[in-house]
Amino acid sequence: MSISNPGLIFLSAFIVNNILLMRYIGLCPFFGVSTSLTTAFGMSAAVLFVMLLATWVTWIIHRFILLPLDIVFLRTATFILVIAALVQFVEMFLKKNFKTLYTAMGIYLPLITTNCAILGVTLLVINYNFDLARAIIFALGTALGFGLVIILFSAIRERLEFAPIVRSLKGYPIAFISASLVALAFLGFIGFLGLSL
Amino acid sequence: MSVLLKSLLTLGGLGFALGLALSYFSRKFQTVGDELFEKVKTALPGSNCGACGFPGCEAYAENIIYKDAPLNKCRPGGKEVADKLASILGKVAEVEEPKVAALACRGGKNECAEIFIYDGGRDCRQAYILHSGNKSCIFGCVGLGHCASVCPFGAIRMGDNHLPIIDEKKCTGCGICVSECPKNVLILIPRTKLVYLACVSKDKGKAVKNVCSVGCFTCNICIKACPYGALTMINNLPTMDFSKCTDCGICVHRCPSKSYIDRAKARPYALITPSCNGCGECIKVCQFKAIEGTPGERHKVIVSKCIGCGECYKVCPVKAITMVGALGFQVKVS
């Protein structure tokens, strides 16, 4: 990605290159917790929070530890390690100091430890050679895009519960089919303000 | 420095530092009552059914510790869990009577006609929006099995007659089906009680007879027949006071529309021994004309008519009557 305009970076991450529907990263929570609106809200809030933090921390580690030592090939392992520890830390911190926020995010916080969307964004940011400010904007856009799609999709899933669906397609199969149709709709954003895949 | 050494040191050092930091902060951020919380949480069944009124076992554990929630709210766990919680917290648990879910409607598709063909979503709640479902009785079970799909213990399945069948062994009495049913045809009854009215129609007489062959049409027979005054007519429905009911089963057999359900697998019958003096008290009290005999001689029980209510046994002045074949009746105890 060669854009440097922060606004365009945000828009690209938010809609055009939506992490769920265009990049197909983070599909496990997408199908796992999109069964109802409330869980979708909880998950997207937790993802927003962790994604921003993780991008910030891993960018710094990459720039000031991995690059000077010339061991960039270790970034995947390092990032997983850092993200897992970070989420644990955040969980403890919230539990002690922000009890309401902790209960609101509930089970989703520890789940995000192994969320590929988080790792994906931290790695993409490195690939695109963003500076710290742009990396954060990219993470913000991606997290909001994740939230937008998962909330949209949970509304669809709630309707699907009641739809007369062939028995063999009930549950996940019809969810995947609907997801592909939503993805097709998002494909229409390509070329929007000159942005491409 | 070789690449190998550098990467080993970086990853190892990073892991070590993070591990140290985490262990330090886990001490620092430890919330009060963590250990207690874990203990309480493991004592609960963990099925997250929500019958206690809190969203899941974890929330209930929290409420027990911090907000003094009562210990006996766990219906699947029952007395056992309440006692465990009591011993952990050093409190005394008041025990709630174990309950079981029961279907208070007998109107399947054969007994209660379907007045239109419903082609919408296969969900009771959705069917209910459309003229309260397609059964002719607006109070009766819709029969699309929402209760079966919400039961966290798999205790409900749908029968051929489009009525749910409750497996009492699996049912924990959590009451989720009761609150989810759009028609309120599921009720919780005490597990030890055998008899209940399986009709919720608030209509009277003809209005019920026209739509359902097994509905209660407010004839008042059961209320007059009950020797213990356990039944009162409320909103055109005989309402059972379970504390007065003795499970005699008279209402079940006197009901002309067969609206009562008897959970007993078998009932005993009366037998008159030779010590009978022929006083005739038993003949007077028997509501089923199951005892015959001339005054002064030993009376006889007509077994085919006897329902095993035990009323004669109670009134016999010379204790000449025994109840036999009551083995199946022990369902009460188990």
Side-chain angles (χ1 to χ4, degrees), chain B residues 189-200:
Chain B
I189 59 170
R191 200 169 258 278
T192 51
K193 289 292 171 190
L194 299 174
V195 173
Y196 66 96
L197 176 70
C199 182
V200 289

Side-chain angles (χ1 to χ4, degrees), chain A residues 61 65-66 68-71 73-74 77-79 81-86 88-89 92-93 95-97 99 102-103 161-164 170, chain B residues 1 3 6-8 10-11 14-15 18 21-23 25-32 34 37 58 62 66 119-123 125-126:
Chain A
I61 285 179
I65 297 179
L66 300 186
L69 289 172
D70 197 25
I71 45 170
F73 62 89
L74 270 182
T78 321
F79 286 6
L81 190 71
V82 170
I83 292 169
L86 188 72
Q88 286 292 313
F89 175 72
M92 278 190 276
F93 181 73
K95 198 175 179 184
K96 175 86 176 171
N97 295 337
K99 191 79 188 170
Y102 174 77
T103 42
E161 285 271 296
F162 294 124
K170 264 213 153 116
Chain B
M1 207 166 20
V3 179
K6 263 196 293 187
S7 21
L8 270 179
T10 320
L11 262 188
L14 209 59
L18 286 172
L22 272 182
S23 67
F25 281 115
S26 76
R27 279 279 169 77
K28 201 176 168 195
F29 287 139
Q30 194 173 41
T31 41
V32 198
D34 261 4
F37 175 73
E58 219 163 282
E62 240 164 60
Y66 300 111
D119 201 19
R122 308 311 287 173
D123 190 291
R125 293 168 297 175
Q126 211 172 359

Side-chain angles (χ1 to χ4, degrees), chain B residues 177-253:
Chain B
C177 52
V178 175
S179 53
E180 284 281 326
C181 177
K183 291 280 199 125
N184 297 322
V185 292
L186 286 158
I187 53 172
L188 281 180
I189 59 170
R191 200 169 258 278
T192 51
K193 289 292 171 190
L194 299 174
V195 173
Y196 66 96
L197 176 70
C199 182
V200 289
S201 173
K202 293 183 175 62
D203 276 342
K204 260 177 144 170
K206 252 200 145 160
V208 180
K209 271 190 163 167
N210 284 345
V211 294
C212 180
S213 61
V214 290
C216 166
F217 50 82
T218 328
C219 64
N220 274 312
I221 289 177
C222 54
I223 292 177
K224 287 179 204 143
C226 181
Y228 307 98
L231 292 163
T232 37
M233 191 61 86
I234 298 172
N235 286 335
N236 295 329
L237 273 179
T239 308
M240 177 90 79
D241 180 349
F242 282 108
S243 61
K244 287 184 186 165
C245 175
T246 63
D247 295 322
C248 66
I250 290 176
C251 48
V252 179
H253 292 269

Side-chain angles (χ1 to χ4, degrees), chain B:
Chain B
M1 207 166 20
S2 73
V3 179
L4 184 66
L5 200 62
K6 263 196 293 187
S7 21
L8 270 179
L9 279 179
T10 320
L11 262 188
L14 209 59
F16 187 67
L18 286 172
L20 268 186
L22 272 182
S23 67
Y24 171 71
F25 281 115
S26 76
R27 279 279 169 77
K28 201 176 168 195
F29 287 139
Q30 194 173 41
T31 41
V32 198
D34 261 4
E35 276 172 39
L36 193 67
F37 175 73
E38 284 302 318
K39 265 192 193 164
V40 172
K41 209 175 84 181
T42 40
L44 292 169
S47 53
N48 292 323
C49 69
C52 49
F54 302 102
C57 293
E58 219 163 282
Y60 180 42
E62 240 164 60
N63 275 281
I64 288 176
I65 296 169
Y66 300 111
K67 287 175 192 160
D68 268 336
L71 304 178
N72 58 3
K73 287 282 163 198
C74 182
R75 291 212 202 118
K79 189 177 183 303
E80 217 173 283
V81 166
D83 285 346
K84 241 195 249 172
L85 292 175
S87 70
I88 290 170
L89 296 160
K91 289 182 191 170
V92 181
E94 287 165 30
V95 182
E96 219 172 49
E97 198 174 9
K99 299 229 160 118
V100 69
L103 177 67
C105 177
R106 300 194 64 200
K109 63 174 179 184
N110 301 330
E111 291 83 14
C112 183
E114 295 180 355
I115 45 173
F116 59 88
I117 296 168
Y118 173 70
D119 201 19
R122 308 311 287 173
D123 190 291
C124 300
R125 293 168 297 175
Q126 211 172 359
Y128 173 68
I129 298 169
L130 202 68
H131 304 290
S132 305
N134 64 350
K135 286 276 177 65
S136 47
C137 172
I138 61 162
F139 298 99
C141 173
V142 184
L144 291 174
H146 181 55
C147 47
S149 60
V150 295
C151 178
F153 305 97
I156 305 182
R157 65 186 170 86
M158 294 307 290
D160 296 334
N161 204 11
H162 292 190
L163 284 180
I165 298 168
I166 296 162
D167 184 343
E168 291 180 0
K169 278 191 192 127
K170 286 186 190 165
C171 176
T172 60
C174 69
I176 288 182
C177 52
V178 175
S179 53
E180 284 281 326
C181 177
K183 291 280 199 125
N184 297 322
V185 292
L186 286 158
I187 53 172
L188 281 180
I189 59 170
R191 200 169 258 278
T192 51
K193 289 292 171 190
L194 299 174
V195 173
Y196 66 96
L197 176 70
C199 182
V200 289
S201 173
K202 293 183 175 62
D203 276 342
K204 260 177 144 170
K206 252 200 145 160
V208 180
K209 271 190 163 167
N210 284 345
V211 294
C212 180
S213 61
V214 290
C216 166
F217 50 82
T218 328
C219 64
N220 274 312
I221 289 177
C222 54
I223 292 177
K224 287 179 204 143
C226 181
Y228 307 98
L231 292 163
T232 37
M233 191 61 86
I234 298 172
N235 286 335
N236 295 329
L237 273 179
T239 308
M240 177 90 79
D241 180 349
F242 282 108
S243 61
K244 287 184 186 165
C245 175
T246 63
D247 295 322
C248 66
I250 290 176
C251 48
V252 179
H253 292 269
R254 290 296 301 274
C255 180
S257 57
K258 308 237 174 304
S259 303
Y260 279 90
I261 285 182
D262 185 2
R263 291 172 58 224
K265 293 198 179 73
R267 281 191 180 264
Y269 59 91
L271 192 74
I272 301 178
T273 54
S275 52
C276 172
N277 62 5
C279 67
E281 284 297 317
C282 49
I283 297 182
K284 271 186 235 158
V285 84
C286 182
Q287 297 196 19
F288 301 91
K289 299 193 173 67
I291 301 178
E292 54 181 17
T294 44
E297 283 173 34
R298 181 183 167 190
H299 291 348
K300 221 181 107 193
V301 175
I302 306 162
V303 176
S304 61
K305 283 187 182 171
C306 177
I307 65 146
C309 63
E311 291 304 302
C312 49
Y313 168 80
K314 280 177 199 154
V315 296
C316 183
V318 291
K319 302 270 172 247
I321 300 178
T322 51
M323 305 300 290
V324 293
L327 223 71
F329 205 59
Q330 304 210 334
V331 85
K332 246 183 122 168
V333 186
S334 61

